[in-house]
Amino acid sequence: MIDYLIVGSGLAGISFAEIALHNGRSIMVLDNNSQNSSKIAGGLYNPVILKRFSEVWKAQEQLTLMNEFYSLLESKLKCKVDFKRPILRKFFSVEEQNNWFAASDKIALTPFLSTELISKKYVGIDSPYGYGEVLQTGYVDTALLLNKYRLYLNDNNLFQQESFDYDALQIVSGGIQYKNTKAKHIVFAEGFGMHANPYFKNLPLDGTKGELFIINAPQLNLDVIVNTSVFILPLGNDLFKVGATYNWKDKTDLPTEEGKTELMERIKEIITCDFEIIDHFAGVRPTVKDRRPLVGTHQYHKTIHILNGLGTRGVMLGPAMAKALFENIEFDIPLDKEINIDRFLPKGKN
């Protein structure tokens, strides 16, 4: 009998897998490659919600865990996946500058917003009002990370590529039985695929489709991440990742002409040089209306658990939420009420 059967190998699944392994637990990971939102994600981590100038929930705690987590993974996988880069918010007016400096005076935001106006001129971007710099930012190469981690799991016989058959899951004494695998616990980390899961399909997981480009822009001289209505992330060799759109109606992972047009228009608002679209991606992010993850244990089956709803901040949230779930299962440390799926139980039952 193993300790954990984990369904899904996106950011949520590999975060839980790694924390379990790091704590000496045995695992098996199943995935069918049907969900690609983690793989195509921008991978940015940013402790500030720039639209509203508010702190991301528990940002410093998440960043501290995240930095340790990806540093250990880089040593384990022998590759660089975490890239520290400044995020610059382009200002479009004096009023936006003033709003930035007012926000930087807030106690919660002081560690994350620089009070120095960045006036550097980047070739290919017209920026008469300059930029504000967000601190403690960067990006994780999610495609490389997930590929390398899956190879690691494969090499150690800890991975099976298959679609999960819910009818084959049995609750048995001391855990669960799935086909030929016995485990003390099963953790579902299926992203938007959770809607097919009979144990958790009633949870209010929404899907927010996002579309991104890889563009080639030889004249764009940029070594930082620029964030306005979209982000522009330099990848090297004149290539840039640009995104993303938000579509709450379309639940497919197919790129659309509508998304393409929207991204093109937004790019042209920011850069003044020519660019060529090299690739166009789409994926459905697992989002929740209250903007908090879905973490916890099934109301009636105490060996069945969920780790989902990381939304647009999977890179930051993944390690922290996986640690919270692991410690809840293993050591009975209570989950924060804001992330616990019990918050969706009828009142009086949680």
Side-chain angles (χ1 to χ4, degrees):
M1 179 180 275
I2 61 171
D3 292 307
Y4 291 98
L5 179 61
I6 301 163
V7 183
S9 63
L11 287 167
I14 71 162
S15 294
F16 192 88
E18 184 56 22
I19 284 169
L21 288 172
H22 189 71
N23 284 275
R25 302 304 190 269
S26 53
I27 67 164
M28 175 60 69
V29 179
L30 269 61
D31 200 340
N32 66 355
N33 285 333
S34 65
Q35 303 300 313
N36 69 343
S37 64
S38 289
K39 201 179 300 178
I40 67 125
L44 303 189
Y45 50 89
N46 171 9
V48 181
I49 301 167
L50 290 171
K51 281 183 183 175
R52 300 189 294 277
F53 285 126
S54 56
E55 180 195 12
V56 169
W57 177 71
K58 294 195 173 183
Q60 193 61 68
E61 182 182 320
Q62 288 177 33
L63 284 169
T64 301
L65 277 168
M66 182 201 81
N67 286 325
E68 180 185 1
F69 181 81
Y70 292 120
S71 177
L72 288 170
L73 265 187
E74 286 180 333
S75 297
K76 178 173 186 166
L77 302 176
K78 296 181 173 54
C79 70
K80 181 81 172 162
V81 297
D82 181 8
F83 299 88
K84 308 298 181 190
R85 294 280 189 281
I87 290 181
L88 301 188
R89 169 69 155 80
K90 178 183 168 179
F91 297 133
F92 288 88
S93 65
V94 172
E95 184 183 10
E96 283 196 352
Q97 291 177 346
N98 293 336
N99 290 341
W100 176 277
F101 291 117
S104 68
D105 282 339
K106 297 177 184 176
I107 292 174
L109 295 179
T110 297
F112 306 127
L113 296 181
S114 170
T115 54
E116 183 182 340
L117 182 68
I118 306 293
S119 55
K120 180 177 177 178
K121 301 298 181 186
Y122 292 97
V123 175
I125 301 181
D126 188 21
S127 54
Y129 298 99
Y131 307 87
E133 181 179 352
V134 190
L135 308 173
Q136 301 190 54
T137 59
Y139 75 97
V140 169
D141 187 334
T142 54
L144 178 63
L145 170 63
L146 297 178
N147 183 47
K148 290 284 189 181
Y149 200 82
R150 192 171 291 183
L151 286 172
Y152 161 79
L153 292 173
N154 257 322
D155 289 346
N156 289 276
N157 298 314
L158 301 175
F159 183 81
Q160 294 177 28
Q161 184 165 325
E162 63 173 90
S163 295
F164 190 82
D165 179 3
Y166 301 100
D167 292 334
L169 178 62
Q170 301 173 54
I171 315 296
V172 297
S173 177
I176 61 99
Q177 171 100 32
Y178 178 71
K179 297 181 180 178
N180 296 324
T181 302
K182 278 188 178 178
K184 293 176 184 174
H185 301 274
I186 184 168
V187 175
F188 288 106
E190 304 158 291
F192 189 64
M194 187 202 81
H195 285 287
N197 187 324
Y199 296 95
F200 295 110
K201 65 181 182 182
N202 292 327
L203 288 173
L205 183 74
D206 198 5
T208 309
K209 181 172 181 171
E211 300 190 43
L212 302 94
F213 287 161
I214 302 293
I215 65 169
N216 178 259
Q219 295 166 289
L220 183 59
N221 182 19
L222 198 61
D223 58 357
V224 296
I225 302 164
V226 171
N227 195 328
T228 57
S229 58
V230 291
F231 66 80
I232 301 178
L233 165 63
L235 301 175
N237 298 318
D238 299 328
L239 297 177
F240 301 85
K241 184 179 278 191
V242 183
T245 62
Y246 291 82
N247 186 324
W248 286 269
K249 292 181 180 177
D250 183 359
K251 309 300 184 185
T252 70
D253 57 8
L254 300 173
T256 65
E257 280 300 316
E258 181 186 6
K260 180 178 180 179
T261 300
E262 182 182 339
L263 279 177
M264 293 271 286
E265 289 174 354
R266 291 189 182 184
I267 293 169
K268 288 174 182 176
E269 289 174 359
I270 304 167
I271 69 175
T272 57
C273 58
D274 293 334
F275 64 91
E276 176 189 3
I277 300 168
I278 302 299
D279 220 332
H280 183 186
F281 305 104
V284 181
R285 312 172 186 93
T287 53
V288 186
K289 284 187 171 63
D290 66 2
R291 295 180 179 163
R292 295 289 180 266
L294 299 172
V295 184
T297 298
H298 192 276
Q299 185 181 4
Y300 303 115
H301 306 298
K302 299 308 175 186
T303 55
I304 299 179
H305 316 275
I306 187 170
L307 180 59
N308 207 319
L310 303 187
T312 60
R313 301 186 183 275
V315 161
M316 273 180 71
L317 278 169
M321 296 304 98
K323 180 174 183 283
L325 179 60
F326 181 82
E327 292 180 344
N328 176 250
I329 296 168
E330 294 283 341
F331 312 120
D332 209 26
I333 296 174
L335 290 167
D336 190 302
K337 289 179 181 177
E338 290 197 62
I339 65 171
N340 196 327
I341 57 171
D342 285 357
R343 69 190 188 272
F344 295 115
L345 288 176
K347 287 185 178 176
K349 291 193 177 182
N350 54 357

